[in-house]
Amino acid sequence: MPFGAGLGSGSEAGGEIRRHRRRCSVWLKEQRTKHMDWLLEGSTQRVESPVLQGEEGVLEETGEDGLPEGFQLLQIDAEGECQEGETLATGSTAWCSKNVQRKQRHWEKIVAAKKSKRKQEKERRKANRAENPGICPQHSKRFLRALTKEKLLEAKHSGPRLCIDLSMTHHMSKKELSRLAGQIRRLYGSNKQADRPFWICLTGFTIDSPLYEECVRMNDGFSSYLLDIKEEDCFSLFPLETLVYLTPDSEHALEDVDLNKVYILGGLVDESIQKKVTFQKAWEYSVKTARLPIQEYMVRNQNGKNYHSEILAINQVFDILSTYLETRNWPEALKKGVTSGKGYVLRNSVE
């Protein structure tokens, strides 16, 4: 019966082929051992009896590995038939191999495209440097991160200080906490980009509070922010005479940003704002209060909703303070933080 006849398909045929190959391999090893023994015996006899040397022409010619050519042909035929049987019987294996090859080609295309893009970007930067020799080269991200860290740490010792009072968040809803966590993220991001950053301190803030969990969930790398997190209230951390609580209910407009003062922002959001909450808290501790000079430099703008509000998010107040610290210009600073939705515009912009 010819080889492979009567075999099943699929895995059964593949198993039968593998077993046949093993039997062929065992049989070939046995024949090789017998042949080697026969050669050794023959060589001994030739040495002892030179008469038998003339009978070498009768022996079968051997190949390079010491096997007769008949055995080598048998081995080649057996392996060729087994490989052919495997290819026919195990079609699923061939399909998987093509799938892997397709994914490999796809990955190689992606890698090649990235290399090409990096090369083009490198050539573009090189051409820009050649056309504009006076412009400084772009700094690496690692250098910029190190520079930002250095500026923030310097602000801790000699820069202006800003406290976010988070001791009033226990009555806030989850939605309000999420909004406050987002404002803290934007505030910290603006501070990192500032030429002259503040040193930020989150007071009345515990690591087991819902707000802390929300900050960690929403803000990547929050635990590594370069700022202070204190469980104590801001009134017990700093001398009271150095504190200025910024609240829209104050009667005094903020005239300047003093580096010797510690400015406090109440950690509340629009939904939870109640009138004079932060002002009342500052009054209890006999702390100075101030409001942003919106009334001095801006006017109400007529709108369909007739809505006007001086209540800003903490990140908007920070943008105003940071811009003023760099420019010493209140109109420019207020324009940066007071959006058109608050219903106020600068005086010189009114037609």
Side-chain angles (χ1 to χ4, degrees):
M1 183 173 60
F3 174 74
L7 297 180
S9 61
S11 59
E12 295 181 0
E16 184 64 26
I17 290 171
R18 287 190 291 271
R19 287 192 292 271
H20 182 76
R21 293 186 65 182
R22 286 196 293 269
R23 288 196 296 268
C24 290
S25 178
V26 171
W27 182 82
L28 287 172
K29 289 181 180 179
E30 292 177 354
Q31 297 302 319
R32 179 179 296 189
T33 303
K34 291 180 181 180
H35 179 70
M36 294 302 296
D37 293 340
W38 180 79
L39 288 176
L40 291 174
E41 183 180 357
S43 63
T44 304
Q45 292 177 358
R46 284 193 297 273
V47 171
E48 295 177 353
S49 179
V51 178
L52 296 176
Q53 294 179 3
E55 299 179 0
E56 286 185 354
V58 182
L59 297 178
E60 190 173 354
E61 295 183 0
T62 59
E64 296 179 356
D65 56 353
L67 287 177
E69 292 183 356
F71 289 152
Q72 293 178 354
L73 293 175
L74 179 60
Q75 185 180 9
I76 294 172
D77 293 340
E79 292 179 354
E81 290 176 356
C82 291
Q83 291 175 359
E84 183 179 359
E86 277 192 337
T87 303
L88 295 175
T90 58
S92 59
T93 304
W95 179 83
C96 291
S97 177
K98 290 180 180 178
N99 190 31
V100 171
Q101 292 176 4
R102 178 182 60 80
K103 291 182 178 179
Q104 181 67 22
R105 289 193 298 269
H106 179 66
W107 174 249
E108 290 174 355
K109 289 181 180 179
I110 294 176
V111 173
K114 288 183 177 180
K115 289 182 178 179
S116 177
K117 186 176 180 180
R118 286 196 297 267
K119 185 177 180 181
Q120 292 176 1
E121 183 65 19
K122 186 177 180 180
E123 292 176 353
R124 185 186 65 82
R125 290 196 298 266
K126 185 177 180 180
N128 288 341
R129 287 195 297 269
E131 295 176 0
N132 306 292
I135 299 178
C136 297
Q138 254 186 341
H139 295 297
S140 64
K141 291 182 179 180
R142 179 180 298 179
F143 175 81
L144 294 176
R145 284 196 297 266
L147 182 62
T148 300
K149 183 178 180 180
E150 182 181 351
K151 289 193 302 182
L152 290 175
L153 293 177
E154 183 180 354
K156 183 176 183 178
H157 302 288
S158 59
R161 289 169 291 178
L162 182 72
C163 282
I164 311 298
D165 184 8
L166 301 175
S167 61
M168 300 171 287
T169 59
H170 50 281
H171 294 305
M172 296 171 61
S173 65
K174 183 175 177 61
K175 178 183 177 182
E176 293 168 344
L177 292 175
S178 297
R179 291 192 59 183
L180 181 56
Q183 293 175 13
I184 293 174
R185 180 186 68 247
R186 289 189 287 271
L187 185 152
Y188 183 74
S190 297
N191 193 45
K192 288 199 305 180
Q193 297 175 1
D195 293 334
R196 195 175 185 184
F198 283 73
W199 181 251
I200 300 172
C201 183
L202 306 180
T203 61
F205 194 33
T206 57
I207 59 175
D208 58 349
S209 62
L211 177 60
Y212 185 87
E213 296 177 358
E214 201 67 15
C215 287
V216 172
R217 184 185 69 85
M218 294 184 61
N219 307 338
D220 294 336
F222 177 77
S223 57
S224 61
Y225 277 9
L226 290 176
L227 46 74
D228 284 333
I229 296 179
K230 301 293 184 180
E231 295 184 5
E232 296 84 0
D233 197 278
C234 56
F235 303 105
S236 60
L237 289 173
F238 305 97
L240 296 180
E241 62 272 13
T242 63
L243 299 179
V244 178
Y245 212 119
L246 298 179
T247 169
D249 301 312
S250 177
E251 297 178 355
H252 307 285
L254 183 65
E255 297 179 358
D256 196 7
V257 176
D258 190 350
L259 299 182
N260 297 320
K261 298 292 184 180
V262 180
Y263 295 94
I264 306 172
L265 300 180
L268 296 171
V269 295
D270 293 345
E271 288 86 348
S272 60
I273 290 294
Q274 299 177 10
K275 277 190 176 284
K276 297 188 176 182
V277 173
T278 53
F279 179 80
Q280 184 68 25
K281 191 171 183 179
W283 180 81
E284 291 176 0
Y285 288 91
S286 301
V287 170
K288 294 180 180 179
T289 62
R291 58 174 174 80
L292 295 175
I294 296 177
Q295 300 174 9
E296 284 70 21
Y297 294 94
M298 307 186 81
V299 295
R300 293 188 175 188
N301 184 30
Q302 295 183 354
N303 53 65
K305 296 182 180 180
N306 194 25
Y307 175 77
H308 304 87
S309 175
E310 298 182 30
I311 299 174
L312 305 176
I314 59 173
N315 60 292
Q316 293 173 326
V317 177
F318 174 80
D319 288 341
I320 294 173
L321 295 176
S322 179
T323 305
Y324 176 77
L325 189 63
E326 294 177 4
T327 63
R328 297 292 176 176
N329 187 308
W330 277 118
E332 185 176 345
L334 292 171
K335 184 179 179 181
K336 180 73 176 293
V338 181
T339 61
S340 58
K342 294 297 180 179
Y344 282 90
V345 294
L346 293 174
R347 292 182 180 275
N348 56 8
S349 63
V350 178
E351 297 179 355

